[in-house]
Amino acid sequence: MTPPTRPQDAHPYLRAASAGVRHHTRALARQDATSPAPVDRLHLDVLHAHLTALHQLLDRLAETTRPPHPAAGRHLATAHTRVWQATAEIHSAFHLLPSNTAAEGAEANACHPERLPEGPPVLTICQRHLAAGHIIRRKTTPTDLRAHTTACAR
């Protein structure tokens, strides 16, 4: 008979992901004290991947929680929508940053993007964003998605 799982051992990968985000935040805080490094597209791509994974997790949690606990399921569905909004803002910021075409071109030539099934590395964020967008559009209304937009029109 296996012993019951202790609460601190229940979700080790989620704890590891949270620890990684905390570590990265502390590393950025130390950089601010010395010389601030500007955010780059690769940084936003990785953050977008993290938020997209969180978005998918919240989607599944909301689906399984809603039938037995409707109120909790609604809160999880709201969190799902808010994470999508954060993901969309990061995707927009990614495209507003200047690309380092020399570095991206060298990396693209080194890894032969024509051989990658997902296409060139710079396009993976867009493909990931479109796939996540299909999930959110099935489950929310356009009004829900516009309710808390933070971007300012310029």
Side-chain angles (χ1 to χ4, degrees):
M1 185 168 159
T2 60
T5 304
R6 296 182 308 186
Q8 65 267 23
D9 296 331
H11 304 286
Y13 295 115
L14 283 175
R15 285 193 341 260
S18 298
V21 170
R22 283 191 305 272
H23 173 75
H24 188 71
T25 303
R26 284 191 299 269
L28 286 176
R30 282 190 298 261
Q31 284 181 358
D32 287 342
T34 57
S35 64
V39 68
D40 60 357
R41 291 178 119 195
L42 180 61
H43 189 169
L44 291 183
D45 186 26
V46 172
L47 185 58
H48 186 271
H50 183 77
L51 284 176
T52 303
L54 181 60
H55 177 258
Q56 291 171 347
L57 175 63
L58 282 169
D59 181 43
R60 300 245 169 96
L61 289 173
E63 282 181 6
T64 59
T65 303
R66 189 168 267 173
H69 307 285
R74 283 191 300 273
H75 282 285
L76 289 172
T78 300
H80 174 253
T81 302
R82 300 300 177 259
V83 168
W84 168 253
Q85 290 168 336
T87 304
E89 295 295 335
I90 288 177
H91 181 252
S92 297
F94 174 89
H95 286 294
L96 292 174
L97 286 176
S99 65
N100 185 356
T101 54
E104 287 176 3
E107 289 174 16
N109 291 335
C111 70
H112 302 287
E114 68 277 1
R115 297 181 194 164
L116 296 173
E118 66 273 8
V122 74
L123 297 179
T124 57
I125 188 171
C126 295
Q127 291 171 342
R128 185 184 325 112
H129 195 71
L130 287 172
H134 289 296
I135 294 170
I136 196 74
R137 285 185 191 94
R138 282 188 326 214
K139 309 214 176 200
T140 58
T141 66
T143 305
D144 292 337
L145 294 176
R146 282 192 298 260
H148 296 282
T149 302
T150 58
C152 48
R154 292 183 188 205

